[in-house]
Amino acid sequence: MGHTTPGSPPTPELLDELSQFFRLLSEPARLQLLCQLEHQGPMDVAALIEATGFSQSHISRQLGQLQRAGLVRNQREGVRLTYAVADPLVPQLCNLVQTSLRQRLEQQLQLLQSA
Amino acid sequence: MGHTTPGSPPTPELLDELSQFFRLLSEPARLQLLCQLEHQGPMDVAALIEATGFSQSHISRQLGQLQRAGLVRNQREGVRLTYAVADPLVPQLCNLVQTSLRQRLEQQLQLLQSA
DNA sequence: AATTGCTATGAGCATAGACGCATAAAGGGT
DNA sequence: ACCCTTTATGCGTCTATGCTCATAGCAATT
């Protein structure tokens, strides 16, 4: 039940960093780009445009944000840039959340069945 | 290096659910409320107002969102509502992200030292 | 049922950020 | 040096939402 965490409460700075990080993943476009890269391996921008249907400028901006956060890395291939996932954290998080969401849905389903 | 995830790519619906979930944590106010509850154990709204300095209506709305998402649960104590964390997922996520952020900072530090 | 104390919610304002268009910047080939 | 291709960025628009004020709803007490 009601755990209390023994450590100190998170500082405002940490709180801000955490929320900023989650904000990156809160945008479907960015999350989609990340998942696409995770699933397909490294891709260049043209392929990402093709896969997602977003405009070039939009993709460039979103990838820029992901790169500044260290979630993605790029590499030149001639004039093109190839992007790749740079941190295994994101898939981990998504799996955790996905599992939790599923569990909650199953619980709700059981509640409905018992009614 | 470049893993590719064997499973199928996430459906648009899953992508939306995941991003909506992360959006909840992307707001400093909500994350602060969650951390406060996690750290102090169950608290009533007056205590949360005291602890965070937010207005009553703001807190009510944010707690409502967290509750609809199943992250928080409330319980009547007379006329007051006491809120408590309802899912251990959030502290897990925060710890993962925090660890990853720290690792990245340490790497950057080493890069600076070797320069 | 009226009053009191606590919580939820409608209305409105302000701001952040997504998204596209146009254009600049950068890199490579002739 | 010029041109072509690819990526980054300034600017404008529009939507979403944080946040507040006022007020409505609701539970307990008398």
Side-chain angles (χ1 to χ4, degrees):
Chain A
M1 290 248 296
H3 284 238
T4 66
T5 301
S8 51
T11 68
E13 295 80 22
L14 179 56
L15 227 48
D16 264 17
E17 285 212 58
L18 286 173
S19 61
Q20 278 182 16
F21 181 89
F22 288 126
R23 163 147 287 148
L24 282 176
L25 306 184
S26 76
E27 187 59 34
R30 282 191 293 265
L31 197 57
Q32 185 177 353
L33 288 170
L34 281 170
C35 290
Q36 194 78 33
L37 290 174
E38 166 69 20
H39 180 254
Q40 304 269 2
M43 299 171 72
D44 66 2
V45 177
L48 287 171
I49 293 177
E50 170 77 16
T52 64
F54 293 122
S55 76
Q56 180 268 323
S57 73
H58 190 214
I59 288 188
S60 172
R61 281 180 213 279
Q62 304 313 319
L63 288 178
Q65 291 193 41
L66 293 175
Q67 188 172 28
R68 276 189 293 279
L71 297 183
V72 130
R73 189 194 338 262
N74 67 17
Q75 187 181 0
R76 301 212 74 98
E77 309 238 350
V79 69
R80 298 185 175 180
L81 285 181
T82 295
Y83 280 86
V85 173
D87 193 319
L89 179 62
V90 176
Q92 282 180 35
L93 293 184
C94 287
N95 284 335
L96 272 178
V97 175
Q98 192 177 347
T99 301
S100 180
L101 289 179
R102 183 162 32 223
Q103 283 183 1
R104 220 171 295 148
L105 285 183
E106 286 171 2
Q107 282 184 0
Q108 290 185 4
L109 206 124
Q110 289 209 352
L111 287 184
L112 285 183
Q113 285 177 342
S114 64
Chain B
M1 287 251 292
H3 284 239
T4 65
T5 300
S8 51
T11 67
E13 294 79 24
L14 179 56
L15 227 48
D16 264 17
E17 285 212 59
L18 286 172
S19 62
Q20 277 182 17
F21 182 89
F22 288 127
R23 162 152 278 135
L24 281 176
L25 306 184
S26 76
E27 188 58 34
R30 280 190 294 265
L31 197 56
Q32 185 176 354
L33 288 171
L34 280 171
C35 290
Q36 193 74 229
L37 290 174
E38 165 69 20
H39 181 253
Q40 305 269 359
M43 298 171 71
D44 66 3
V45 177
L48 287 171
I49 292 177
E50 170 76 16
T52 64
F54 294 123
S55 76
Q56 180 267 322
S57 73
H58 190 212
I59 288 188
S60 173
R61 282 180 212 278
Q62 305 313 319
L63 287 179
Q65 290 194 41
L66 294 175
Q67 188 172 28
R68 275 188 294 279
L71 297 182
V72 129
R73 189 194 336 262
N74 67 17
Q75 187 181 1
R76 301 212 75 99
E77 309 238 349
V79 70
R80 299 186 174 179
L81 285 182
T82 296
Y83 280 86
V85 173
D87 194 318
L89 179 63
V90 175
Q92 283 180 35
L93 293 183
C94 288
N95 284 335
L96 272 178
V97 175
Q98 192 176 348
T99 302
S100 180
L101 289 179
R102 183 163 32 225
Q103 284 182 2
R104 221 172 294 147
L105 285 183
E106 285 171 3
Q107 283 184 359
Q108 290 185 3
L109 206 124
Q110 288 208 353
L111 288 183
L112 285 183
Q113 285 176 342
S114 63

